[in-house]
Amino acid sequence: MNYFLTGGTGFIGRFLVEKLLARGGTVHVLVREQSQDKLAQLRERWGADESRVKAVIGDLTSPNLGIDAKTMKSLKGNIDHFFHLAAVYDMGADEKAQQATNIEGTLSAVQAAEAMKAGCFHHVSSIAAAGLFKGTFREDMFEEAEKLDHPYLLTKHESEKVVRQSCKIPFRIYRPGMVIGHSKTGEMDKVDGPYYFFKMIQKIRHALPQWMPTIGVEGGRLNIVPVDFVVNAMDHIAHLDGEDGNCFHLVDSDPYKVGEILNIFSEAGHAPRMAMRIDSRMFGFIPPFIRQSLKNLPPVKRLTTALLDDMGIPPSVLSFINYPTRFDARETERVLKGTGIEVPRLESYSAVIWDYWERNLDPDLFKDRTLRGTVEGKVCVITGGTSGIGLATAQKLADAGAILVIGARKKERLMEVAAELEARGGNVHAYQCDFAEMDDCDRFVKTVLDNHGHVDVLVNNAGRSIRRSLALSFDRFHDFERTMQLNYFGSVRLIMGFAPAMLERHRGHVINISSIGVLTNAPRFSAYVASKSALDAFSRCAAAEWSDRNVTFTTINMPLVKTPMIAPTKIYDSVPTLTPDEAADMVVDAIVYRPKRIATRLGVFAQVLQALAPKMGEIVMNTGYRMFPDSPAAAGSRSGEKPKVSSEQVAFAAIMRGIYW
């Protein structure tokens, strides 16, 4: 048996060719001249040579598919089945491209099939041909389609009309649902349909523990089917007698709602499930013109656009959240009865779909998310770059090819570190500065701008921490002044100094090393936490002003890190801490991904607890406060003896890993 396929190298096509070859047939595949290498690779996959899979050079949008007269003559009368699969299956594709491929391409395919005198023309349409029909759409319905405003819906409908009205040879029409990956391997070739929501699920997984319930949408029912079901059904139906002129819905007869689909894939991706799903129909009492007016408000439009861009979701996808159409598939069920060809339940194969996406289709895989790709040749400034987190970060940036600027108070140590970084091959510029002195900050800013012209990344890392109970601080108001002077005023002075050039260039990133104490309201750290909280608040306000000028802020609520800053508190030698290198990895993530905030899950949970049950959070922190004493230094003693740590203290610190006590 001889077959001809358009779209034979596409996603559905490559699986269908495999099925047709298994029947012992010879397959002719329409390819462009420049796509022959792709077909050659697929032949290896199919285990077939050129005698079994033959390339036919042509073009979908040319008359008779652009097939030359000699080839057309050889095909005439020798094609039993002509499968037309080639089409644009992309909701976000250009309208003109969709019209050319879907409508004109189908007309050319019909002409070519007639010229070949093919035995049967098999048109792969889509459930999109029904538009946004409200209710149940049967296989014998076509003209009843409605709300065909979107180019994809319209062109799929019009291309099917071409077959129904123009095809003079026997034909059969197949309307698959939203085709996703293979139910056994997860194989898929592009992000489409439910895949658009995978990035959102992934981001939620990174932000929240799996056990935390979330709120989402209910939505309409989306009819999704795996590619292997579609291909198996088409292969079987195409070879049945007496089915010419019929249309077949290759769909799930019991489709899931949007909320159910998101929950199934959330479980597959180990993300939190939506415990409560909101049905948008509950807002139906609001007049449509009011809803539309709200959507068109500038802040709403900007926020919606920003969120969709961040998630990689085309705006047109939102119109399908409340998909109104159900599909009757009684004809398909009739011809498939007893064959074992049926749609598997999504839960049974969602894990392989997710796994294949995360390993092969996740958009982040195709972006340069390396530190070198982000900072090479960029001017990166780190304050407090001679020890702890600052030094570990400086080493990573020097190795990544950044133009590295480090500042610190002690000149001798600064020069020593600069020499070490240069020995690693870094492009290092070291400038002495006491960031607690405003005049020094101004000189630092001027020197950096005079020598480098601008700053791409500013890491406000230099800081002062004081661990002392308020009861021991009544006569130490200077503790609050010192922390504010360095942690807040010094950082703000630098931001205000470097910001004009950033705003002029529409490019800049400020990273503030804050503290988990800001989220937990850590006792004994009131001076330190207040200064960091002030910087956080300033940065949020500045970010709101500069959001549309591509100058961004990231706050890192850093957990407890073993640095010289915590060395005076000997009890910290016995509790879990991050290493400076682990902390520097958090700074690297901030530079590469530019999130608004980086925090541990425990830190985020503490902030949520403070918002929802502040008294409970207060009791937990007070328990820790009473469990861990002030250090001898905080109490005015010079004793260097390491305090004894009880097993109860160790267990509590392990549970509350990273929190300051």
Side-chain angles (χ1 to χ4, degrees):
M1 195 165 283
N2 293 306
Y3 304 95
F4 187 98
L5 279 82
T6 69
T9 60
F11 180 57
I12 297 176
R14 72 188 66 163
F15 289 101
L16 181 58
V17 169
E18 191 171 5
K19 295 290 293 184
L20 300 178
L21 289 172
R23 289 179 174 271
T26 299
V27 181
H28 302 263
V29 179
L30 182 75
V31 293
R32 292 179 177 175
E33 186 76 43
Q34 60 269 33
S35 300
Q36 292 190 74
D37 289 343
K38 183 178 181 180
L39 182 60
Q41 293 172 2
L42 286 170
R43 284 196 188 101
E44 292 185 20
R45 166 182 170 144
W46 297 323
D49 58 22
E50 294 183 19
S51 67
R52 297 285 316 281
V53 179
K54 299 183 178 183
V56 178
I57 308 302
D59 186 273
L60 189 65
T61 57
S62 300
N64 278 340
L65 299 177
I67 302 172
D68 65 77
K70 182 180 178 181
T71 304
M72 185 63 79
K73 184 178 180 181
S74 68
L75 294 171
K76 188 173 182 179
N78 292 318
I79 298 299
D80 299 291
H81 296 279
F82 187 116
F83 288 91
H84 177 49
L85 294 96
V88 173
Y89 296 98
D90 187 351
M91 291 292 299
D94 174 72
E95 183 175 352
K96 189 175 291 186
Q98 292 192 57
Q99 289 178 342
T101 303
N102 293 351
I103 302 175
E104 296 171 24
T106 299
L107 182 59
S108 297
V110 169
Q111 292 172 347
E114 291 173 349
M116 293 176 195
K117 296 190 180 299
C120 186
F121 185 86
H122 301 274
H123 177 63
V124 181
S125 182
S126 166
I127 58 172
L132 295 178
F133 179 85
K134 190 171 183 179
T136 300
F137 204 80
R138 301 188 310 273
E139 289 156 304
D140 61 353
M141 295 170 66
F142 176 71
E143 296 293 345
E144 295 85 349
E146 57 188 25
K147 295 184 180 179
L148 296 162
D149 301 328
H150 193 281
Y152 180 71
L153 303 179
L154 178 62
T155 57
K156 294 305 290 183
H157 181 84
E158 291 299 313
S159 62
E160 187 174 318
K161 181 186 287 187
V162 167
V163 178
R164 290 175 175 274
Q165 294 184 350
S166 304
C167 191
K168 296 181 177 61
I169 61 175
F171 64 83
R172 300 178 188 186
I173 295 172
Y174 309 89
R175 294 180 188 152
M178 296 182 185
V179 181
I180 63 172
H182 198 286
S183 67
K184 298 294 189 294
T185 66
E187 182 182 348
M188 181 62 172
D189 67 342
K190 64 185 176 70
V191 171
D192 194 16
Y195 289 84
Y196 283 125
F197 297 98
F198 283 17
K199 177 55 67 176
M200 177 187 73
I201 293 172
Q202 188 186 65
K203 285 178 178 288
I204 294 173
R205 181 186 70 189
H206 291 161
L208 300 172
Q210 188 176 359
W211 49 264
M212 181 173 287
T214 60
I215 300 173
V217 297
E218 181 71 342
R221 295 183 183 273
L222 292 184
N223 208 297
I224 60 177
V225 287
V227 65
D228 44 312
F229 163 74
V230 172
V231 167
N232 290 341
M234 284 175 53
D235 173 61
H236 176 76
I237 297 171
H239 293 90
L240 293 176
D241 294 328
E243 300 298 336
D244 292 342
N246 288 340
C247 176
F248 302 93
H249 283 164
L250 308 183
V251 297
D252 185 349
S253 57
D254 184 21
Y256 298 88
K257 291 184 177 180
V258 171
E260 294 172 326
I261 293 170
L262 293 178
N263 268 348
I264 289 170
F265 282 118
S266 291
E267 186 160 327
H270 306 289
R273 289 169 56 91
M274 297 181 298
M276 184 171 78
R277 303 198 296 267
I278 299 172
D279 192 331
S280 62
R281 290 177 297 180
M282 66 187 292
F283 301 106
F285 68 92
I286 302 175
F289 76 92
I290 294 180
R291 294 201 301 267
Q292 195 60 40
S293 298
L294 290 172
K295 286 181 183 178
N296 290 329
L297 287 173
V300 175
K301 290 178 71 174
R302 280 199 61 201
L303 182 61
T304 302
T305 300
L307 287 173
L308 293 178
D309 285 347
D310 187 48
M311 300 296 177
I313 302 174
S316 58
V317 171
L318 293 184
S319 61
F320 292 89
I321 293 294
N322 293 309
Y323 194 62
T325 316
R326 296 288 293 268
F327 293 92
D328 183 281
R330 65 187 65 189
E331 287 300 304
T332 302
E333 292 169 1
R334 173 181 61 80
V335 295
L336 294 183
K337 187 176 182 179
T339 64
I341 301 173
E342 58 185 9
V343 182
R345 299 309 290 163
L346 184 58
E347 296 95 332
S348 69
Y349 66 98
S350 58
V352 295
I353 297 293
W354 175 273
D355 184 67
Y356 189 90
W357 172 82
E358 201 157 39
R359 292 175 185 271
N360 300 278
L361 297 175
D362 183 352
D364 284 348
L365 297 173
F366 306 98
K367 297 176 183 176
D368 189 348
R369 295 296 192 183
T370 63
L371 183 60
R372 177 172 290 277
T374 305
V375 303
E376 188 171 23
K378 303 287 181 65
V379 180
C380 300
V381 175
I382 302 177
T383 66
T386 58
S387 67
I389 300 170
L391 175 58
T393 303
Q395 291 169 343
K396 292 179 184 294
L397 291 176
D399 294 345
I403 300 171
L404 181 61
V405 177
I406 57 173
R409 184 164 49 89
K410 297 178 181 178
K411 184 175 182 179
E412 185 177 330
R413 175 60 180 160
L414 184 64
M415 295 302 108
E416 180 183 323
V417 169
E420 292 174 1
L421 294 173
E422 286 173 349
R424 299 168 71 107
N427 180 359
V428 185
H429 305 267
Y431 306 112
Q432 183 184 13
C433 181
D434 182 350
F435 294 104
E437 296 293 332
M438 299 302 99
D439 290 342
D440 250 18
C441 288
D442 292 341
R443 280 193 295 272
F444 180 81
V445 168
K446 186 177 187 306
T447 302
V448 171
L449 293 178
D450 286 347
N451 292 346
H452 306 285
H454 65 274
V455 169
D456 294 291
V457 180
L458 168 62
V459 182
N460 278 317
N461 168 72
R464 180 190 295 276
S465 175
I466 295 176
R467 180 181 185 270
R468 182 175 284 114
S469 297
L470 286 171
L472 300 175
S473 304
F474 294 142
D475 59 348
R476 297 184 61 89
F477 190 75
H478 59 279
D479 284 354
F480 301 90
E481 294 175 316
R482 288 190 296 168
T483 52
M484 287 296 289
Q485 192 68 18
L486 177 57
N487 299 348
Y488 178 62
F489 291 119
S491 296
V492 170
R493 197 79 167 198
L494 295 184
I495 293 170
M496 297 297 282
F498 291 129
M502 290 181 173
L503 292 168
E504 184 179 346
R505 299 176 69 243
H506 283 260
R507 188 183 309 158
H509 188 195
V510 178
I511 299 171
N512 296 320
I513 307 301
S514 186
S515 164
I516 194 174
V518 173
L519 305 180
T520 62
N521 306 303
R524 288 194 178 86
F525 288 91
S526 54
Y528 176 64
V529 167
S531 65
K532 290 295 188 182
S533 297
L535 181 59
D536 287 5
F538 169 86
S539 298
R540 290 194 298 271
C541 294
E545 292 189 27
W546 300 338
S547 176
D548 58 345
R549 299 182 70 178
N550 198 34
V551 175
T552 57
F553 288 77
T554 297
T555 295
I556 303 179
N557 294 112
M558 195 69 73
L560 194 60
V561 182
K562 196 171 186 60
T563 66
M565 190 165 73
I566 71 167
T569 307
K570 300 301 180 183
I571 199 170
Y572 285 155
D573 293 342
S574 304
V575 300
T577 58
L578 292 185
T579 66
D581 197 60
E582 290 172 324
D585 286 337
M586 296 174 73
V587 181
V588 167
D589 284 344
I591 293 172
V592 172
Y593 295 99
R594 297 173 70 144
K596 291 297 300 176
R597 180 183 301 278
I598 293 180
T600 63
R601 288 179 174 177
L602 182 59
V604 173
F605 176 74
Q607 189 176 40
V608 172
L609 183 65
Q610 176 64 26
L612 299 179
K615 187 63 179 180
M616 186 181 298
E618 180 183 298
I619 291 172
V620 172
M621 299 311 291
N622 180 258
T623 301
Y625 170 72
R626 293 301 177 190
M627 188 175 292
F628 296 91
D630 281 281
S631 65
S637 170
R638 295 187 177 278
S639 172
E641 183 180 345
K642 184 176 179 179
K644 294 181 180 179
V645 181
S646 69
S647 58
E648 185 183 30
Q649 288 173 319
V650 171
F652 191 81
I655 294 172
M656 302 293 180
R657 182 182 177 87
I659 293 181
Y660 301 97
W661 298 107

